[in-house]
């Protein structure tokens, strides 16, 4: 009798379906195309047959057009075409096409098993930050942790260089210890690249993933995810805490689909913490209307004032660059920085003008190069500037935030251009003087005529310096 029972038990054990950890780790909290996963298609189909996934149309067209991945319902954002896959007229969503085109004949899959049933989120986490918060930072950190514990949204408004990332550490640690899954989302890839190693250093025993376009494949179930807001199209009800860093940055503030993606990626009860140096009026209005928690820091962590921009006219600079000459004032500024061995960033309003100017700067210093949003090597170039392998970088507004270079000096060419809003100019100015050893620095607005936005940026910086 015992032998027969053992035999039946053994047979049942071997006939049972064992969920592969790698598959569960990857799909928990994700919404993903059925036929384009990192796993063999036959394996995915077997999981679907056994009921581990919900399957749904990527785009529904029955009652109204709707994208299941990004929740877009605006007819203007859908395109109909003759599909080579199904040989019929299909419709796809333009809002989330950067994540791969999904049309009405495609299907998405969502892992059905509740992540809390199988994922060991109660792991012991190590908190290895040895720094010390200023009284202003400590107050903000306490306020943030309190809001998150109560599932209440929170806005942190803190000047560039106030140490916003350090303020997040204790709240993130408490959430990890409570078994929660956290996402720190930001509109810019460069910010993800800046934050990822810092969080890895502070939480060395925690599985952390960095998700951005072109990110390498990462193993394990990440309890802490650092991601661009675009990557949140691929998540659904995945996170217990959502932190949006640089919450005023383009394109997040102008794209309702990205804002919906943040809501979609978190659980219903999960709080959102918005962190920025230049909060929009819309954020302030929501904070007041919905009674969010709020923290304000007007001083940098090292206690020094923010560097105030100076103005220098640069008449007809575009014409001069196109004729093969760097304007004399700008040449003088660059040579001063080279003589003092000070790294520098020069912001340009357009890629075209920047690339036109680049060979002229290389004649002065061969290590100078340019970076922009589509540059696949910009991460390496920024690292080379930080490591003193390059003297300077020409850049678009892609580096206006999320980058810290010791003793960096900054110039804006064409500060009158509409691309340089007051918020952008404040963020650009905030690159200077971030290090306690080099709390001062040069920020110059080279212009072909002063603008209201330039004056607003300067006035806001001076106002912050008057606060205690």
């Amino acid at each position: 009798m015992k032998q027969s029972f053992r035999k039946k038990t053994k047979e049942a054990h071997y006939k049972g379906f064992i969920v592969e950890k790698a598959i569960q780790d990857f799909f928990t909290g994700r919404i993903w195309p059925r036929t384009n996963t990192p796993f063999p298609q036959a394996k995915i189909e077997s999981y679907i047959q056994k009921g581990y996934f919900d399957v749904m149309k990527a785009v529904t067209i029955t009652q109204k057009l709707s994208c299941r991945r990004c929740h877009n319902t605006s007819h203007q954002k859908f395109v109909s075409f003759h599909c080579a896959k199904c040989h019929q007229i299909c419709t796809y969503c333009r809002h989330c096409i950067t994540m791969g085109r999904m049309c009405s004949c495609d299907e998405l899959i969502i892992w059905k098993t509740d992540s809390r049933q199988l994922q060991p989120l109660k792991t012991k986490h190590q908190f290895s930050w040895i720094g010390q918060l200023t009284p202003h930072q400590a107050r903000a950190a306490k306020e943030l942790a309190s809001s998150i514990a109560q599932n209440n949204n929170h806005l942190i408004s803190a000047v560039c260089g106030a140490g916003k990332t350090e303020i997040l550490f204790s709240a993130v640690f408490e959430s990890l210890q409570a078994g929660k899954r956290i996402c720190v989302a930001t509109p810019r890839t460069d910010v993800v690249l800046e934050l990822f190693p810092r969080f890895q250093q502070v939480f060395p025993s925690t599985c952390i993933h960095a998700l951005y376009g072109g990110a390498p494949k990462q193993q394990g179930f990440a309890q802490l995810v650092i991601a661009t807001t675009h990557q949140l199209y691929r998540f659904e009800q995945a996170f217990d805490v959502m932190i949006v860093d640089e919450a005023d940055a383009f394109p997040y503030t102008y794209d309702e689909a990205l804002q919906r993606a943040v809501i979609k990626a978190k659980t219903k009860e999960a709080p959102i913490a918005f962190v920025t140096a230049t909060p929009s009026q819309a954020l302030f209005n929501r904070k007041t209307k919905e009674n969010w928690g709020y923290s304000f820091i007007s001083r940098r962590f090292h206690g020094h004032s923010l560097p105030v921009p100076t103005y220098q006219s640069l008449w007809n600079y575009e014409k001069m660059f196109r004729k093969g000459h760097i304007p004399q004032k700008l040449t003088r500024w660059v040579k001063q920085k080279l003589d003092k061995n000070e790294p520098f960033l020069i912001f340009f309003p357009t890629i075209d003008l920047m690339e036109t100017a680049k060979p002229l700067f290389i004649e002065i210093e061969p290590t100078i190069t340019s970076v922009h949003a589509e540059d696949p090597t910009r991460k390496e170039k920024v690292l080379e500037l930080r490591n003193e392998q390059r003297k300077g970088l020409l850049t678009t507004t892609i580096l206006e935030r999320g980058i810290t270079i010791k003793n960096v000096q900054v110039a804006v060419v064409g500060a009158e251009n509409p691309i340089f809003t007051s918020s952008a100019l404040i963020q650009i100015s905030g690159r200077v003087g971030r290090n306690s050893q080099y709390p001062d620095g040069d920020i110059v607005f080279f212009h072909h005529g002063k603008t209201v936005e330039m004056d607003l940026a300067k006035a806001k910086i001076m106002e912050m310096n008057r606060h205690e």
Side-chain angles (χ1 to χ4, degrees), residues 8 23 31-32 50 70 107 115 130 143 148 219 223 292 330 366 442 455:
K8 286 180 181 178
I23 288 180
I31 181 168
W32 205 265
K50 294 181 187 300
C70 74
E107 291 180 325
S115 63
I130 56 174
E143 291 167 346
I148 288 176
Q219 302 294 327
Q223 196 173 337
W292 296 356
L330 184 56
D442 208 7
D455 287 340

Side-chain angles (χ1 to χ4, degrees), residues 26 38-39 209 214-219:
F26 182 84
F39 303 94
H209 286 178
K217 187 176 178 182
Q218 296 156 89
Q219 302 294 327

Side-chain angles (χ1 to χ4, degrees), residues 60-304:
T60 57
I61 55 176
T62 47
Q63 296 178 330
K64 65 175 182 178
L65 282 171
S66 177
C67 176
R68 186 62 184 78
R69 181 166 62 181
C70 74
H71 292 192
N72 168 42
T73 57
S74 171
H75 279 242
Q76 296 177 338
K77 297 296 182 180
F78 289 96
V79 176
S80 296
F81 71 112
H82 190 272
C83 180
K85 289 184 289 186
C86 67
H87 305 291
Q88 296 187 32
I89 300 299
C90 267
T91 303
Y92 70 87
C93 174
R94 288 196 292 118
H95 249 312
C96 56
I97 196 170
T98 52
M99 299 290 105
R101 188 170 72 183
M102 296 297 294
C103 56
S104 45
C105 70
D106 290 316
E107 291 180 325
L108 296 164
I109 54 176
I110 295 181
W111 187 256
K112 284 170 70 173
T113 308
D114 184 352
S115 63
R116 299 302 179 269
Q117 293 177 7
L118 294 174
Q119 296 294 352
L121 293 188
K122 291 281 187 181
T123 3
K124 188 174 181 182
H125 298 276
Q126 186 180 348
F127 188 38
S128 295
W129 189 60
I130 56 174
Q132 187 172 358
L133 297 177
T134 66
H136 294 296
Q137 287 177 310
R139 186 197 71 245
K142 187 176 180 180
E143 291 167 346
L144 173 63
S146 176
S147 289
I148 288 176
Q150 298 172 56
N151 288 335
N152 189 29
N153 290 353
H154 196 93
L155 172 61
I156 294 178
S157 171
V159 297
C160 296
K164 293 185 289 294
T165 305
E166 288 79 5
I167 292 168
L168 304 179
F169 289 156
S170 58
V172 168
F173 181 62
E174 288 179 21
S175 298
L176 289 170
Q177 291 289 79
K180 295 179 179 180
R181 193 180 192 193
I182 304 108
C183 177
V184 179
T186 175
R188 301 287 178 85
T189 296
D190 300 270
V191 181
V192 174
L193 296 173
E194 185 89 9
L195 292 179
F196 183 48
R198 295 178 67 183
F199 275 95
Q200 281 184 312
Q201 188 174 16
V202 174
F203 304 109
S205 62
T206 302
C207 182
I208 308 174
H209 286 178
L211 303 179
Y212 53 90
K217 187 176 178 182
Q218 296 156 89
Q219 302 294 327
F221 178 79
Q223 196 173 337
L224 176 57
V225 172
I226 319 292
T228 60
T229 46
H230 279 88
Q231 292 295 321
L232 299 186
Y233 287 140
R234 292 174 166 162
F235 288 89
E236 188 158 309
Q237 296 189 37
F239 301 105
D240 306 299
V241 176
M242 178 68 69
I243 298 170
V244 182
D245 192 20
E246 305 293 354
D248 65 302
F250 179 86
Y252 177 78
T253 40
Y254 302 97
D255 192 338
E256 290 184 3
L258 285 177
Q259 294 166 31
R260 286 196 301 270
V262 166
I263 303 298
K264 178 180 72 78
K266 73 181 190 70
T267 60
K268 187 177 179 180
E269 301 80 14
I272 308 176
F274 297 94
V275 185
T276 177
T278 48
S280 65
Q281 189 58 50
L283 267 179
F284 273 124
N285 292 343
R286 285 187 63 194
K287 183 264 294 184
T288 303
K289 183 180 178 181
E290 300 172 17
N291 198 28
W292 296 356
Y294 178 59
S295 302
F296 173 65
I297 302 178
S298 63
R299 304 296 290 181
R300 289 185 151 179
F301 78 95
H302 50 53
H304 293 268

